[in-house]
Amino acid sequence: MFSTRYLLVSLLMSVLSLSANADTLPAPDSVEPKTRAFMQQVADGRVAEAYSGLAPYLGVSREPFDASAREADSYFRKVHDRAGKTLDTVRVRREAIDDHFYRETWLQKFSEAAMAWQFTFYRATDGWKLVGVSYTTDIESLYSLY
């Protein structure tokens, strides 16, 4: 229905480029309410607002993040025109690299298609910072044995 689109926001930038003044989240369990709120806003068609809600936790440069937010907002206007409204969003995966990286994957469901969103957080010292937001219609990697 619509082509695969993959957007990665400065994922895994070097530690030197991490913003020292970003707010942090204390633990991986504190990430879920933020990503859930993001997904609800996206489902409601408020993509720019969703990105703004995560901006205080950025551990990467703000400019590429803002540019990605504008691109995602434009893209999702087209998605909603073609695929209709979001039927549901569900967190389908949680992954970690020890106590250094944490990633959540959410599925955004439409009547005839779905998209996967990934949020990646990094903990250099104190607290977790957002280092990546991506979305794709390629959900192949989400399958598991039934």
Side-chain angles (χ1 to χ4, degrees):
M1 180 185 275
F2 45 90
S3 66
T4 298
R5 179 115 175 140
Y6 188 76
L7 178 62
L8 188 58
V9 181
S10 304
L11 180 58
L12 307 180
M13 294 186 75
S14 70
V15 174
L16 295 176
S17 68
L18 292 176
S19 172
N21 59 1
D23 289 343
T24 61
L25 296 166
D29 288 343
S30 61
V31 167
E32 190 271 343
K34 304 299 181 190
T35 56
R36 179 176 299 285
F38 180 100
M39 293 305 301
Q40 184 58 57
Q41 290 170 325
V42 167
D44 293 341
R46 301 178 323 206
V47 176
E49 186 178 331
Y51 274 80
S52 292
L54 289 181
Y57 308 102
L58 277 178
V60 296
S61 176
R62 179 73 190 248
E63 294 79 22
F65 181 80
D66 288 343
S68 295
R70 287 188 298 275
E71 188 174 330
D73 186 51
S74 174
Y75 177 68
F76 276 93
R77 290 176 200 267
K78 295 172 189 166
V79 168
H80 288 180
D81 288 346
R82 293 181 185 153
K85 294 186 178 209
T86 301
L87 299 177
D88 194 13
T89 60
V90 61
R91 186 177 65 180
V92 295
R93 185 172 289 163
R94 296 173 61 183
E95 301 169 286
I97 301 174
D98 197 24
D99 200 28
H100 309 290
F101 285 93
Y102 174 74
R103 180 170 61 195
E104 287 189 354
T105 303
W106 287 75
L107 195 63
Q108 181 181 12
K109 296 170 56 178
F110 301 94
S111 63
E112 296 180 23
M115 298 194 71
W117 286 82
Q118 285 191 335
F119 303 89
T120 303
F121 290 80
Y122 175 63
R123 187 178 78 79
T125 54
D126 296 327
W128 294 86
K129 296 179 183 181
L130 178 68
V131 294
V133 176
S134 64
Y135 55 87
T136 183
T137 57
D138 181 3
I139 61 169
E140 186 68 29
S141 67
L142 299 181
Y143 282 94
S144 60
L145 294 176
Y146 190 72

